[in-house]
Amino acid sequence: MSIGAAILGCSGPILTAEERTFFRRVKPWGFILFKRNVETPDQVRTLVDALRDTVGRADAPVLIDQEGGRVQRLGPPHWGRYPPGRAFGDLAGNDPLVRREITRLGARLMAHDLAALGINVDCVPVLDVPDPNGHEIIGDRAYGRTHEEVALLGRAAAEGLIAGGVLPVIKHIPGHGRAMSDSHLELPVVDASYEDLDARDFPPFRVLSDMPMAMTAHVIYSAIDKKRPATTSKKVMRRVIRGAIGFDGLVMSDDLSMKALSGDFRERAESSRAAGCDVVLHCNGGMAEMKAVVAGAGELKGRAAARAKAALARIAKTPEPFDAAEGRARLDAAFEGKFAA
């Protein structure tokens, strides 16, 4: 059975007849959910089951962006609120291991929420090291202000997800923190030297290079490739992501519908795959765009298919024992109830 090298969204809380037919035909590797797809726990479980049914794979990845703070697709009244990454880094106390423990706990709670719905991939942790003058699109989504803090707490978050049976996605490789604009709206250009990037931006990704999945940054790094953002740059992929960082897991693009990218959607998918992305991501559920993306993405095969298989093999068959009520109480106590539902 051929599998399309794409991760796709859908338009609402239930699949339309057209979506069912399309997904059955093109068999994307996975799917991604957004707030428009979320109403109640039972509804989400039904949607997740329906998505997997269309491709005939019980382990098909279903992704979500559940970071906490500004980026949280599941929330009250059915799910708890979670702090943004920076809140974990700003916890009071001199012992960084306490911050690490609470960060892992927060991710373990998220994994508990997601696994109960059948969602098996979370696009966390954000490993971008923020620049004081950079655009606020990263801002408090970052776990700290230094690459050491980001790496320490990013690994804690990734470990918490894995312990709960959910795969983490490290993002936005090789680093979005210096960007002076929002890649959702325009193409950022970072003019830092390679040496500066290697000293501050790449280290968190290098520390977590053993993770199963990574998401690219739609950012130009002029010291490496003056013309193409990381997502569509063979130079960035080979020299940095696979080279200096040493990441050998599955690389997925960030959303191809973001305005940082140019060309039509087939071209965007083709360029991303040609650069070395194993799979491409399209989020908005627009049918015409998805058809073009699938045509450009092609089939998941060769080394990309092997990486995809290896990533899914990392999902824990038996999550670590966990008392969610006790864990939630500990998290709320750590933040003095600030993020309680």
Side-chain angles (χ1 to χ4, degrees), residues 25 78 83 146 195 198 228 235 245 269 286 324-325:
R25 178 173 64 83
H78 299 292
T146 68
E195 292 72 23
D198 191 52
R228 293 180 176 272
K235 294 178 181 178
I245 288 172

Side-chain angles (χ1 to χ4, degrees), residues 197-278:
L197 292 167
D198 191 52
R200 194 187 79 176
D201 299 72
F202 303 164
F205 296 98
R206 192 177 289 124
V207 170
L208 276 80
S209 62
D210 59 325
M211 289 297 130
M213 298 176 64
M215 178 188 291
T216 62
H218 294 333
V219 175
I220 283 180
Y221 307 90
S222 61
I224 305 162
D225 189 332
K226 296 182 184 297
K227 296 181 179 180
R228 293 180 176 272
T231 303
T232 59
S233 172
K234 290 181 182 179
K235 294 178 181 178
V236 174
M237 182 67 68
R238 293 173 181 173
R239 181 181 178 187
V240 179
I241 296 174
R242 301 299 190 192
I245 288 172
F247 183 75
D248 194 38
L250 181 133
V251 173
M252 58 184 281
S253 74
D254 202 346
D255 183 12
L256 295 187
S257 64
M258 291 163 64
K259 295 181 180 178
L261 300 183
S262 59
D264 64 34
F265 282 90
R266 179 167 184 156
E267 292 170 341
R268 295 180 189 194
E270 289 174 340
S271 297
S272 301
R273 291 277 282 142
C277 289
D278 297 307

Side-chain angles (χ1 to χ4, degrees), residues 124-177:
V124 170
V126 173
L127 297 185
D128 305 307
V129 181
D131 187 299
N133 299 313
H135 192 277
E136 63 183 8
I137 188 60
I138 298 301
D140 68 357
R141 297 166 67 192
Y143 290 100
R145 296 169 177 82
T146 68
H147 67 79
E148 293 91 349
E149 292 171 329
V150 170
L152 178 71
L153 299 189
R155 176 163 285 281
E159 291 174 356
L161 290 173
I162 290 172
V166 174
L167 293 182
V169 179
I170 60 174
K171 63 184 186 184
H172 306 82
I173 200 167
H176 204 301

